[in-house]
Coordinates of all heavy atoms in Angstrom, one line a residue:
M56 N 31.5 17.6 44.7 CA 31.8 18.6 45.7 C 32.2 18.0 47.0 O 31.5 17.1 47.5 CB 30.6 19.6 45.9 CG 30.3 20.5 44.7 SD 31.5 21.9 44.6 CE 30.7 22.9 45.9
H57 N 33.3 18.5 47.6 CA 33.7 17.9 48.8 C 34.2 19.1 49.7 O 35.0 19.9 49.3 CB 34.9 16.9 48.6 CG 35.6 16.6 49.8 ND1 35.0 15.8 50.8 CD2 36.8 16.9 50.3 CE1 35.9 15.6 51.8 NE2 37.0 16.3 51.5
K58 N 33.7 19.2 50.9 CA 34.2 20.2 51.8 C 35.5 19.9 52.4 O 35.7 18.9 53.1 CB 33.2 20.4 53.0 CG 33.6 21.6 53.9 CD 32.5 22.1 54.7 CE 32.2 21.2 55.9 NZ 31.2 21.7 56.8
L59 N 36.5 20.7 52.0 CA 37.9 20.4 52.4 C 38.3 21.0 53.8 O 38.9 20.4 54.6 CB 38.9 20.9 51.3 CG 40.3 20.7 51.6 CD1 40.7 19.3 51.5 CD2 41.2 21.6 50.7
Y60 N 37.8 22.3 54.0 CA 38.4 23.0 55.1 C 37.4 24.1 55.5 O 36.7 24.8 54.7 CB 39.7 23.7 54.6 CG 40.4 24.5 55.6 CD1 40.9 23.9 56.8 CD2 40.8 25.8 55.4 CE1 41.6 24.6 57.7 CE2 41.5 26.5 56.3 CZ 41.9 25.9 57.5 OH 42.6 26.6 58.4
V61 N 37.3 24.4 56.8 CA 36.6 25.5 57.3 C 37.6 26.5 57.9 O 38.3 26.2 58.8 CB 35.6 25.0 58.5 CG1 34.8 26.3 59.0 CG2 34.6 24.0 58.0
A62 N 37.6 27.7 57.3 CA 38.6 28.7 57.6 C 38.1 29.6 58.7 O 36.9 29.7 58.9 CB 39.0 29.5 56.4
A63 N 39.0 30.2 59.4 CA 38.7 31.1 60.5 C 38.2 32.5 59.9 O 37.4 33.2 60.6 CB 39.9 31.4 61.4
N64 N 38.6 32.8 58.7 CA 38.2 34.1 58.1 C 38.4 34.0 56.6 O 39.0 33.0 56.1 CB 39.0 35.2 58.7 CG 40.5 34.9 58.7 OD1 41.0 34.6 57.6 ND2 41.2 35.0 59.8
V65 N 37.9 35.0 55.9 CA 37.9 34.9 54.5 C 39.3 34.9 53.9 O 39.6 34.1 53.0 CB 37.0 36.1 53.9 CG1 37.2 36.2 52.4 CG2 35.6 35.9 54.3
P66 N 40.2 35.8 54.3 CA 41.5 35.7 53.7 C 42.2 34.4 53.9 O 42.9 33.9 53.0 CB 42.3 36.8 54.5 CG 41.3 37.8 54.9 CD 40.1 36.9 55.2
E67 N 42.0 33.7 55.0 CA 42.5 32.4 55.2 C 42.0 31.4 54.2 O 42.7 30.6 53.7 CB 42.3 31.9 56.7 CG 43.2 30.8 57.0 CD 42.7 30.0 58.2 OE1 41.7 30.3 58.8 OE2 43.4 29.0 58.6
A68 N 40.7 31.5 54.0 CA 40.0 30.6 53.0 C 40.7 30.8 51.6 O 40.9 29.8 50.9 CB 38.5 30.9 52.9
Y69 N 41.0 32.1 51.3 CA 41.6 32.3 50.0 C 43.1 31.9 49.9 O 43.6 31.6 48.8 CB 41.4 33.8 49.6 CG 40.0 34.0 49.0 CD1 38.9 34.2 49.8 CD2 39.9 33.9 47.6 CE1 37.7 34.3 49.2 CE2 38.7 34.1 47.0 CZ 37.5 34.3 47.8 OH 36.3 34.4 47.3
I70 N 43.8 31.9 51.1 CA 45.1 31.3 51.0 C 45.1 29.9 50.6 O 45.8 29.5 49.7 CB 45.8 31.4 52.5 CG1 46.0 32.9 52.8 CG2 47.1 30.6 52.5 CD1 46.4 33.0 54.3
V71 N 44.1 29.1 51.2 CA 44.0 27.7 50.8 C 43.6 27.6 49.4 O 44.1 26.8 48.6 CB 43.0 27.0 51.8 CG1 42.7 25.6 51.3 CG2 43.6 27.0 53.2
L72 N 42.6 28.4 49.0 CA 42.1 28.4 47.6 C 43.3 28.7 46.6 O 43.4 28.0 45.6 CB 41.0 29.5 47.4 CG 40.3 29.4 46.1 CD1 39.3 28.2 46.1 CD2 39.5 30.7 45.8
N73 N 44.1 29.7 46.9 CA 45.2 30.0 46.0 C 46.2 28.8 45.9 O 46.7 28.5 44.8 CB 46.0 31.2 46.6 CG 45.5 32.5 46.1 OD1 45.3 32.6 44.9 ND2 45.3 33.4 47.0
M74 N 46.4 28.1 47.0 CA 47.4 27.0 47.0 C 46.8 25.9 46.2 O 47.5 25.2 45.4 CB 47.6 26.5 48.4 CG 48.4 27.5 49.2 SD 48.7 27.0 50.9 CE 49.9 25.7 50.7
L75 N 45.5 25.6 46.3 CA 44.8 24.6 45.5 C 44.9 24.9 44.0 O 45.2 24.1 43.2 CB 43.4 24.4 46.0 CG 43.2 23.9 47.4 CD1 41.7 24.0 47.8 CD2 43.7 22.4 47.5
A76 N 44.6 26.2 43.7 CA 44.6 26.6 42.3 C 46.0 26.4 41.7 O 46.1 26.0 40.5 CB 44.2 28.1 42.2
R77 N 47.1 26.7 42.4 CA 48.4 26.5 41.9 C 48.7 25.1 41.6 O 49.5 24.7 40.7 CB 49.4 27.0 42.9 CG 49.8 28.5 42.7 CD 50.8 28.9 43.7 NE 50.4 30.1 44.4 CZ 50.9 30.6 45.5 NH1 51.9 29.9 46.1 NH2 50.4 31.7 46.0
A78 N 48.0 24.2 42.3 CA 48.2 22.7 42.1 C 47.2 22.2 41.0 O 47.2 21.0 40.7 CB 48.0 22.0 43.4
G79 N 46.4 23.1 40.4 CA 45.5 22.8 39.4 C 44.2 22.2 39.9 O 43.5 21.5 39.1
I80 N 43.9 22.4 41.2 CA 42.6 21.9 41.7 C 41.5 22.9 41.7 O 41.7 24.0 42.2 CB 42.9 21.4 43.2 CG1 43.9 20.2 43.2 CG2 41.6 21.0 43.8 CD1 44.3 19.8 44.6
E81 N 40.4 22.6 41.1 CA 39.3 23.5 41.1 C 38.6 23.5 42.4 O 38.3 22.5 43.0 CB 38.2 23.0 40.1 CG 38.7 23.0 38.6 CD 38.6 24.3 38.0 OE1 37.8 25.1 38.5 OE2 39.3 24.5 37.0
A82 N 38.5 24.7 43.0 CA 37.9 24.8 44.3 C 37.2 26.2 44.4 O 37.3 27.0 43.6 CB 39.0 24.8 45.4
R83 N 36.4 26.3 45.4 CA 35.6 27.5 45.6 C 35.4 27.8 47.1 O 35.5 26.9 47.9 CB 34.3 27.4 44.9 CG 33.3 26.4 45.5 CD 32.2 26.1 44.6 NE 32.6 25.4 43.3 CZ 31.9 25.4 42.2 NH1 30.8 26.1 42.1 NH2 32.4 24.8 41.2
V84 N 35.2 29.0 47.4 CA 35.0 29.4 48.8 C 33.5 29.7 49.0 O 32.9 30.5 48.2 CB 35.8 30.7 49.2 CG1 35.4 31.2 50.6 CG2 37.3 30.4 49.1
L85 N 32.9 29.0 49.9 CA 31.5 29.2 50.3 C 31.3 30.0 51.6 O 32.2 29.9 52.4 CB 30.7 27.9 50.3 CG 30.8 27.0 49.1 CD1 29.9 25.8 49.3 CD2 30.3 27.8 47.8
N86 N 30.2 30.6 51.8 CA 29.9 31.4 53.0 C 30.8 32.6 53.2 O 30.9 33.1 54.3 CB 30.1 30.5 54.3 CG 29.0 29.4 54.4 OD1 28.0 29.5 53.7 ND2 29.3 28.4 55.1
E87 N 31.5 33.0 52.2 CA 32.5 34.1 52.4 C 31.8 35.4 52.9 O 32.4 36.2 53.5 CB 33.4 34.4 51.2 CG 32.6 34.8 50.0 CD 33.6 35.0 48.9 OE1 34.5 35.9 49.0 OE2 33.5 34.4 47.8
H88 N 30.5 35.6 52.5 CA 29.8 36.8 52.9 C 29.1 36.7 54.2 O 28.6 37.7 54.8 CB 28.9 37.2 51.8 CG 29.6 37.5 50.5 ND1 30.5 38.4 50.3 CD2 29.5 36.8 49.3 CE1 31.0 38.4 49.1 NE2 30.4 37.4 48.4
A89 N 29.0 35.5 54.7 CA 28.3 35.3 56.0 C 29.1 35.7 57.2 O 28.6 35.9 58.3 CB 27.9 33.8 56.1
A90 N 30.4 35.7 57.0 CA 31.3 35.9 58.2 C 31.7 37.3 58.5 O 32.4 37.6 59.4 CB 32.6 35.0 58.0
G91 N 31.2 38.3 57.6 CA 31.5 39.6 57.9 C 32.9 40.0 57.2 O 33.6 39.1 56.7
G92 N 33.2 41.3 57.1 CA 34.4 41.7 56.4 C 35.6 41.5 57.3 O 35.5 41.1 58.4
M93 N 36.7 41.7 56.7 CA 38.0 41.6 57.4 C 38.1 42.5 58.6 O 37.7 43.7 58.4 CB 39.1 41.9 56.4 CG 40.4 41.3 56.7 SD 41.6 41.6 55.4 CE 43.0 40.8 56.0
G94 N 38.5 42.1 59.7 CA 38.6 42.9 60.9 C 37.3 43.1 61.6 O 37.3 43.7 62.7
E95 N 36.2 42.6 61.1 CA 34.9 42.7 61.8 C 34.7 41.4 62.6 O 35.1 40.3 62.2 CB 33.8 42.9 60.9 CG 33.8 44.2 60.1 CD 32.8 44.2 59.0 OE1 31.8 43.5 59.1 OE2 33.0 45.0 58.0
L96 N 34.0 41.5 63.7 CA 33.6 40.3 64.3 C 32.4 39.6 63.5 O 31.5 40.3 63.1 CB 33.0 40.6 65.7 CG 34.1 40.9 66.8 CD1 33.5 41.3 68.1 CD2 35.1 39.8 67.0
P97 N 32.5 38.3 63.3 CA 31.4 37.6 62.7 C 30.2 37.8 63.5 O 30.2 37.7 64.7 CB 31.9 36.2 62.6 CG 33.3 36.2 62.9 CD 33.6 37.4 63.7
F98 N 29.1 38.0 62.8 CA 27.8 38.2 63.5 C 27.0 36.9 63.4 O 25.9 36.8 63.9 CB 27.0 39.4 63.0 CG 26.9 39.5 61.5 CD1 25.9 38.7 60.8 CD2 27.7 40.3 60.8 CE1 25.8 38.8 59.5 CE2 27.6 40.3 59.4 CZ 26.7 39.6 58.7
T99 N 27.5 35.9 62.8 CA 26.9 34.6 62.8 C 28.0 33.6 63.2 O 29.2 33.9 63.3 CB 26.3 34.1 61.5 OG1 27.4 33.9 60.6 CG2 25.4 35.2 60.9
H100 N 27.7 32.3 63.4 CA 28.7 31.3 63.6 C 29.0 30.6 62.3 O 29.5 29.5 62.4 CB 28.2 30.3 64.7 CG 28.0 30.9 66.0 ND1 29.1 31.4 66.8 CD2 26.9 31.3 66.7 CE1 28.6 31.9 67.9 NE2 27.3 31.8 67.9
T101 N 28.8 31.2 61.2 CA 29.1 30.6 59.9 C 30.5 31.1 59.5 O 30.8 32.3 59.5 CB 28.1 31.0 58.9 OG1 26.8 30.8 59.4 CG2 28.3 30.3 57.6
Y102 N 31.4 30.1 59.2 CA 32.7 30.4 58.8 C 32.8 30.1 57.3 O 32.1 29.3 56.8 CB 33.7 29.6 59.6 CG 33.8 30.1 61.0 CD1 33.0 29.5 62.0 CD2 34.6 31.2 61.4 CE1 33.1 29.9 63.3 CE2 34.6 31.6 62.7 CZ 33.9 31.0 63.6 OH 33.9 31.4 64.9
P103 N 33.8 30.8 56.6 CA 34.0 30.5 55.2 C 34.5 29.1 55.0 O 35.3 28.6 55.8 CB 35.0 31.5 54.7 CG 35.6 32.1 55.9 CD 34.6 31.9 57.1
E104 N 34.0 28.4 54.0 CA 34.4 27.0 53.8 C 35.1 26.9 52.4 O 34.7 27.5 51.5 CB 33.1 26.1 53.8 CG 32.4 26.1 55.1 CD 31.1 25.4 55.0 OE1 30.7 25.0 53.9 OE2 30.5 25.2 56.1
V105 N 36.1 26.0 52.3 CA 36.7 25.7 51.0 C 36.2 24.4 50.6 O 36.4 23.4 51.3 CB 38.3 25.7 51.2 CG1 38.9 25.4 49.8 CG2 38.7 27.1 51.7
W106 N 35.6 24.4 49.4 CA 35.1 23.1 48.8 C 35.9 22.9 47.5 O 36.2 23.8 46.7 CB 33.6 23.3 48.4 CG 32.7 23.3 49.6 CD1 32.6 24.3 50.5 CD2 31.8 22.3 49.9 NE1 31.6 24.0 51.4 CE2 31.1 22.8 51.1 CE3 31.4 21.1 49.4 CZ2 30.1 22.1 51.7 CZ3 30.4 20.4 50.0 CH2 29.7 20.9 51.2
I107 N 36.2 21.6 47.3 CA 36.8 21.2 46.0 C 35.7 20.6 45.1 O 34.8 19.9 45.6 CB 38.0 20.3 46.2 CG1 37.6 19.0 46.9 CG2 39.2 21.0 46.9 CD1 38.8 18.0 47.0
D108 N 35.9 20.8 43.8 CA 34.9 20.4 42.9 C 34.9 18.8 42.6 O 33.9 18.2 42.6 CB 35.0 21.1 41.5 CG 34.6 22.5 41.6 OD1 34.1 22.9 42.6 OD2 34.7 23.2 40.5
E109 N 36.1 18.3 42.5 CA 36.3 16.9 42.1 C 36.7 16.1 43.3 O 37.7 16.4 43.9 CB 37.3 16.8 41.0 CG 37.0 17.6 39.8 CD 35.8 17.0 39.0 OE1 35.5 15.8 39.2 OE2 35.2 17.8 38.3
D110 N 35.9 15.1 43.6 CA 36.3 14.2 44.7 C 37.6 13.5 44.5 O 38.4 13.2 45.4 CB 35.2 13.1 44.9 CG 34.1 13.6 45.8 OD1 34.1 14.8 46.1 OD2 33.2 12.8 46.1
A111 N 38.0 13.4 43.2 CA 39.3 12.7 42.8 C 40.5 13.6 43.3 O 41.6 13.0 43.5 CB 39.4 12.5 41.3
D112 N 40.2 14.8 43.6 CA 41.3 15.7 44.0 C 41.5 15.7 45.6 O 42.4 16.4 46.1 CB 41.1 17.2 43.6 CG 41.2 17.4 42.1 OD1 42.0 16.6 41.5 OD2 40.5 18.3 41.6
R113 N 40.7 14.9 46.2 CA 40.7 15.0 47.7 C 42.1 14.7 48.3 O 42.5 15.3 49.3 CB 39.7 14.0 48.3 CG 38.3 14.6 48.2 CD 37.2 13.5 48.6 NE 37.3 13.1 50.0 CZ 36.3 12.5 50.6 NH1 35.2 12.2 49.9 NH2 36.4 12.2 51.8
K114 N 42.8 13.7 47.8 CA 44.0 13.3 48.4 C 45.1 14.4 48.3 O 45.7 14.8 49.2 CB 44.6 12.0 47.7 CG 44.4 10.8 48.6 CD 45.2 9.6 47.9 CE 45.2 8.4 48.8 NZ 45.6 7.2 48.1
L115 N 45.2 14.9 47.1 CA 46.2 16.0 46.8 C 45.8 17.2 47.6 O 46.6 17.9 48.2 CB 46.2 16.3 45.3 CG 47.2 17.4 44.9 CD1 48.6 17.1 45.3 CD2 47.1 17.6 43.4
A116 N 44.5 17.5 47.7 CA 44.1 18.7 48.4 C 44.4 18.6 49.9 O 44.8 19.5 50.5 CB 42.6 18.9 48.1
A117 N 44.2 17.4 50.4 CA 44.4 17.2 51.8 C 45.9 17.4 52.1 O 46.3 17.9 53.2 CB 44.0 15.8 52.2
R118 N 46.8 17.0 51.2 CA 48.2 17.1 51.4 C 48.6 18.6 51.3 O 49.4 19.1 52.1 CB 49.0 16.3 50.3 CG 50.3 15.8 50.8 CD 50.8 14.6 49.9 NE 51.0 15.1 48.5 CZ 50.9 14.3 47.5 NH1 50.5 13.1 47.6 NH2 51.2 14.8 46.3
I119 N 48.0 19.3 50.4 CA 48.3 20.8 50.3 C 47.8 21.5 51.6 O 48.5 22.3 52.1 CB 47.6 21.3 49.1 CG1 48.2 20.8 47.8 CG2 47.5 22.9 49.1 CD1 47.5 21.0 46.5
L120 N 46.6 21.1 52.1 CA 46.1 21.7 53.3 C 47.0 21.4 54.5 O 47.3 22.3 55.3 CB 44.7 21.1 53.6 CG 44.0 21.7 54.8 CD1 43.8 23.2 54.6 CD2 42.7 21.0 55.0
A121 N 47.6 20.2 54.5 CA 48.5 19.8 55.6 C 49.7 20.7 55.6 O 50.2 21.1 56.6 CB 48.8 18.3 55.6
D122 N 50.2 20.9 54.3 CA 51.4 21.7 54.1 C 51.1 23.1 54.7 O 51.9 23.8 55.3 CB 51.8 21.9 52.7 CG 52.5 20.6 52.2 OD1 52.9 19.8 53.0 OD2 52.8 20.5 51.0
Y123 N 49.9 23.6 54.3 CA 49.6 25.0 54.7 C 49.5 25.1 56.2 O 50.0 26.1 56.8 CB 48.2 25.3 54.1 CG 47.5 26.5 54.8 CD1 48.1 27.8 54.8 CD2 46.4 26.3 55.6 CE1 47.5 28.8 55.5 CE2 45.8 27.3 56.3 CZ 46.4 28.6 56.2 OH 45.8 29.6 56.9
Q124 N 48.9 24.1 56.9 CA 48.8 24.1 58.3 C 50.1 24.0 59.1 O 50.2 24.4 60.2 CB 47.8 23.1 58.8 CG 46.4 23.5 58.3 CD 45.3 22.4 58.6 OE1 45.6 21.2 58.4 NE2 44.2 22.8 59.1
Q125 N 51.1 23.4 58.4 CA 52.4 23.2 59.1 C 53.3 24.4 58.9 O 54.2 24.6 59.8 CB 53.1 22.0 58.4 CG 52.7 20.7 59.0 CD 53.2 19.5 58.3 OE1 54.1 19.7 57.5 NE2 52.6 18.4 58.5
R126 N 53.1 25.2 57.9 CA 54.1 26.3 57.7 C 53.7 27.5 58.6 O 52.6 27.7 59.0 CB 54.1 26.7 56.2 CG 52.8 27.5 55.8 CD 52.9 27.9 54.4 NE 51.7 28.7 54.1 CZ 51.6 29.4 52.9 NH1 52.5 29.4 52.0 NH2 50.5 30.2 52.7
P127 N 54.8 28.3 58.9 CA 54.5 29.4 59.8 C 53.7 30.5 59.1 O 53.7 30.5 57.9 CB 55.9 29.9 60.1 CG 56.8 29.4 59.0 CD 56.2 28.1 58.5
P128 N 52.9 31.2 59.8 CA 52.1 32.3 59.2 C 53.0 33.3 58.5 O 54.1 33.5 58.8 CB 51.4 32.9 60.4 CG 51.9 32.4 61.6 CD 52.9 31.2 61.3
A129 N 52.4 33.8 57.4 CA 53.1 34.8 56.6 C 53.4 36.0 57.4 O 52.5 36.4 58.2 CB 52.3 35.1 55.3
T130 N 54.5 36.6 57.2 CA 54.8 37.8 58.0 C 54.4 39.0 57.1 O 54.6 39.0 55.9 CB 56.3 37.9 58.3 OG1 57.1 37.7 57.1 CG2 56.7 36.9 59.3
G131 N 53.9 40.0 57.8 CA 53.5 41.2 57.1 C 52.3 41.1 56.2 O 51.7 40.1 56.2
S132 N 52.0 42.1 55.5 CA 50.9 42.1 54.6 C 51.2 43.1 53.5 O 52.1 43.9 53.6 CB 49.6 42.5 55.3 OG 49.8 43.8 55.9
V133 N 50.5 42.9 52.4 CA 50.6 43.7 51.2 C 49.2 44.2 50.8 O 48.2 43.6 51.1 CB 51.3 43.0 50.0 CG1 52.7 42.7 50.3 CG2 50.5 41.8 49.7
R134 N 49.2 45.4 50.2 CA 47.9 45.9 49.8 C 47.7 45.8 48.3 O 48.7 45.9 47.5 CB 47.8 47.4 50.1 CG 47.6 47.6 51.6 CD 47.1 49.0 51.9 NE 46.8 49.1 53.3 CZ 45.7 48.8 53.9 NH1 44.7 48.3 53.2 NH2 45.5 48.9 55.2
C135 N 46.5 45.4 47.9 CA 46.1 45.3 46.5 C 46.2 46.6 45.8 O 45.8 47.6 46.3 CB 44.7 44.7 46.4 SG 44.1 44.6 44.8
R136 N 46.8 46.5 44.6 CA 46.9 47.7 43.8 C 45.6 48.2 43.3 O 45.4 49.4 43.0 CB 47.8 47.4 42.6 CG 49.3 47.7 42.9 CD 50.2 47.3 41.7 NE 50.6 45.9 41.8 CZ 51.3 45.3 40.9 NH1 51.7 46.0 39.8 NH2 51.7 44.0 41.0
Q137 N 44.6 47.3 43.1 CA 43.4 47.6 42.5 C 42.3 48.1 43.6 O 41.7 49.1 43.4 CB 42.8 46.5 41.7 CG 43.6 46.2 40.5 CD 42.9 45.0 39.7 OE1 41.7 44.9 39.6 NE2 43.8 44.2 39.1
C138 N 42.2 47.3 44.6 CA 41.1 47.6 45.6 C 41.6 48.0 46.9 O 40.8 48.4 47.8 CB 40.1 46.5 45.7 SG 40.8 45.1 46.6
N139 N 42.9 48.0 47.1 CA 43.5 48.4 48.4 C 43.2 47.5 49.6 O 43.4 47.9 50.7 CB 43.2 49.9 48.7 CG 44.2 50.5 49.6 OD1 45.4 50.3 49.4 ND2 43.8 51.4 50.5
A140 N 42.7 46.3 49.3 CA 42.5 45.4 50.4 C 43.8 44.9 50.9 O 44.8 44.8 50.2 CB 41.6 44.2 49.9
E141 N 43.8 44.6 52.2 CA 45.0 44.1 52.8 C 45.1 42.5 52.6 O 44.1 41.8 52.9 CB 45.0 44.4 54.3 CG 46.4 44.3 54.9 CD 46.4 44.8 56.3 OE1 45.7 45.8 56.6 OE2 47.0 44.2 57.2
N142 N 46.2 42.1 52.1 CA 46.4 40.7 51.8 C 47.6 40.1 52.6 O 48.6 40.9 52.9 CB 46.7 40.5 50.3 CG 45.4 40.6 49.5 OD1 44.8 39.6 49.1 ND2 45.0 41.8 49.1
P143 N 47.6 38.9 53.0 CA 48.8 38.3 53.6 C 50.0 38.5 52.7 O 49.9 38.5 51.5 CB 48.4 36.8 53.8 CG 46.9 36.8 53.8 CD 46.5 37.9 52.9
G144 N 51.2 38.5 53.4 CA 52.4 38.9 52.7 C 52.8 38.0 51.5 O 53.6 38.4 50.7
D145 N 52.4 36.7 51.5 CA 52.8 35.8 50.5 C 51.7 35.7 49.4 O 51.8 34.8 48.6 CB 53.2 34.4 51.1 CG 52.0 33.8 51.8 OD1 51.0 34.5 52.1 OD2 52.0 32.6 52.1
F146 N 50.8 36.6 49.4 CA 49.7 36.5 48.4 C 50.2 37.1 47.1 O 50.9 38.1 47.0 CB 48.5 37.3 48.8 CG 47.4 36.4 49.4 CD1 47.7 35.3 50.2 CD2 46.1 36.7 49.1 CE1 46.7 34.5 50.7 CE2 45.0 35.9 49.7 CZ 45.4 34.8 50.5
E147 N 49.8 36.4 46.0 CA 50.1 37.0 44.6 C 48.8 37.5 44.0 O 48.8 38.4 43.2 CB 50.7 35.9 43.7 CG 52.0 35.4 44.2 CD 52.4 34.1 43.6 OE1 51.8 33.7 42.6 OE2 53.3 33.4 44.2
I148 N 47.7 36.9 44.4 CA 46.4 37.3 43.9 C 45.5 37.8 45.1 O 45.4 37.1 46.1 CB 45.7 36.1 43.2 CG1 46.6 35.4 42.2 CG2 44.3 36.5 42.7 CD1 46.8 36.3 41.0
C149 N 44.9 38.9 44.8 CA 44.1 39.5 45.9 C 42.9 38.7 46.2 O 42.2 38.2 45.4 CB 43.6 40.9 45.4 SG 42.4 41.7 46.5
W150 N 42.6 38.4 47.5 CA 41.5 37.6 48.0 C 40.2 38.3 47.7 O 39.2 37.6 47.5 CB 41.6 37.3 49.4 CG 41.5 38.4 50.4 CD1 42.5 39.2 50.8 CD2 40.3 39.0 50.9 NE1 42.1 40.2 51.6 CE2 40.7 40.1 51.7 CE3 38.9 38.7 50.8 CZ2 39.8 40.9 52.4 CZ3 38.0 39.5 51.4 CH2 38.4 40.6 52.2
Q151 N 40.2 39.6 47.6 CA 38.9 40.3 47.4 C 38.5 40.5 45.9 O 37.4 40.2 45.6 CB 39.0 41.7 48.1 CG 37.7 42.5 48.0 CD 37.6 43.5 49.1 OE1 37.2 43.2 50.2 NE2 38.0 44.7 48.7
C152 N 39.5 41.0 45.1 CA 39.1 41.3 43.7 C 39.8 40.4 42.7 O 39.5 40.5 41.5 CB 39.4 42.8 43.5 SG 41.2 43.1 43.3
G153 N 40.8 39.6 43.1 CA 41.4 38.7 42.2 C 42.5 39.4 41.4 O 43.1 38.8 40.5
G154 N 42.8 40.7 41.7 CA 43.9 41.4 41.0 C 45.2 41.1 41.5 O 45.4 40.4 42.5
A155 N 46.3 41.5 40.8 CA 47.6 41.3 41.2 C 47.9 42.1 42.5 O 47.6 43.3 42.5 CB 48.6 41.6 40.1
V156 N 48.6 41.5 43.4 CA 49.0 42.2 44.6 C 50.4 42.7 44.5 O 51.3 41.9 44.1 CB 48.8 41.2 45.8 CG1 49.4 41.8 47.1 CG2 47.4 40.9 46.0
S157 N 50.7 43.9 44.9 CA 52.0 44.4 44.9 C 52.8 43.8 46.1 O 52.2 43.5 47.1 CB 52.1 45.9 45.0 OG 51.4 46.3 46.2
G158 N 54.1 43.5 45.9 CA 54.8 42.9 47.0 C 56.3 43.0 46.8 O 56.8 43.5 45.8
Ligands
ZN481 ZN1 42.0 43.7 45.3

């Protein structure tokens, strides 16, 4: 287990998680429930963290993270067909329920 990234909020953590998953890297989001829901102010100073399972993936994961941090933020948002959660416009998988996002 290796801590790759501390995200500002849960959807951001899942953007990174999605990108890692597409590259075949096993990863997980920790602390996602500590930071409060989307649009709420966090009531603790705990932010969601993205951890990768295999230390061997660190190099590739760091490169993916760098790509993510360089690209402009996604414009607009889409709502999940299953749970109606708001997702960033370039999401394919809902950060909340894992269902397909309409777009
Ligand atoms: Zn959903």
